[in-house]
Amino acid sequence: MMHASPRAVVLVSGGMDSAVTLALARERGFDCFALSVAYGQRHSAELSAAAHNAHALGAIAHKTVAVDLRSIGGSALTAEIDVPEAGGPGIPITYVPARNTIMLSIALGWAEVLGAADLFCGVNAVDYSGYPDCRPAFIAAFERLARVATKAAVEGHELRVHAPLMAMGKADIVREGLRLGVDFAATVSCYQADAEGRACAHCDACRLRADGFRVAGVVDPTRYVV
């Protein structure tokens, strides 16, 4: 008798990390349901990339849910604040308050509807911008929350939150993506990409991405504005 593959909800942003995470979840045997969140980010290019990558990497379905985080602002990605082009101390202004908490909460809701026990997200705490909601402690805390806040958990179905890239540097993520057949040219990481998804080459996300390809010894396929 054939057994159905387990279902998972995978957060897909359009960037390289979430694309690799989706490919890893597929490799692990999950039927993947890709979820993107239109939270009021400055550009829609990453959402177009998310839809493309979800289809290309074998997701069963792809859903985009809208949440208006521009209404609270507080980030260079959701308010009229310049995106910094030089690193600095502390948590950068590109941090979006509560973003990953909200995204995982929506993913958790869809997982309950689908009967899925697994959530995947591409957060990383090695080569990253220092966001507090990209750390192992956050993922562990959200998993604990999921196990007390849901009907599924109360009825005995244990929920798991996977962050398979958490301890990987960007170069390792590049290598893993190439192994899995991820088309990095179709991903958008830049904080201020133009309408066509071309990157600025200066923001923190661009620097981390470029360093990953350089350290991995791989030609950077990123499309830049200049």
Side-chain angles (χ1 to χ4, degrees):
M1 179 183 296
M2 292 183 63
H3 295 281
S5 297
R7 291 180 165 188
V9 174
V10 183
L11 286 171
V12 178
S13 68
M16 62 186 294
D17 293 351
S18 66
V20 174
T21 298
L22 174 56
L24 278 169
R26 291 277 294 117
E27 183 182 57
R28 294 180 185 182
F30 288 94
D31 281 344
C32 294
F33 292 76
L35 174 68
S36 301
V37 179
Y39 59 84
Q41 55 267 62
R42 285 186 169 197
H43 57 82
S44 60
E46 69 175 24
L47 293 172
S48 298
H52 171 86
N53 292 326
H55 175 75
L57 293 169
I60 300 293
H62 174 245
K63 181 187 297 290
T64 300
V65 174
V67 178
D68 181 17
L69 294 186
R70 286 191 74 85
S71 64
I72 62 172
S75 168
L77 303 190
T78 58
E80 299 308 313
I81 302 170
D82 290 339
V83 173
E85 296 191 347
I91 297 170
I93 193 62
T94 50
Y95 163 67
V96 180
R99 177 177 59 179
N100 285 350
T101 304
I102 290 166
M103 288 181 172
L104 276 172
S105 296
I106 297 169
L108 180 61
W110 196 22
E112 279 211 274
V113 172
L114 293 169
D118 296 87
L119 308 180
F120 281 80
C121 62
V123 297
N124 172 270
V126 179
D127 291 333
Y128 78 129
S129 297
Y131 300 156
D133 55 0
C134 288
R135 299 173 299 154
F138 167 73
I139 295 299
F142 192 91
E143 186 175 75
R144 290 195 300 273
L145 170 69
R147 291 177 178 180
V148 299
T150 56
K151 175 177 180 287
V154 169
E155 293 179 348
H157 304 290
E158 189 171 86
L159 291 146
R160 295 170 292 271
V161 182
H162 306 264
L165 310 186
M166 182 63 77
M168 296 172 64
K170 272 289 188 284
D172 294 323
I173 293 169
V174 167
R175 296 185 188 102
E176 189 73 340
L178 293 175
R179 181 185 71 80
L180 293 162
V182 172
D183 178 9
F184 285 120
T187 63
V188 175
S189 300
C190 180
Y191 290 144
Q192 47 190 356
D194 68 8
E196 298 176 29
R198 295 179 300 181
C200 73
H202 303 297
C203 70
D204 203 29
C206 280
R207 290 196 302 273
L208 289 168
R209 178 178 170 120
D211 283 347
F213 285 106
R214 178 182 56 79
V215 174
V218 175
V219 174
D220 184 354
T222 306
R223 296 178 300 120
Y224 292 103
V225 173
V226 291

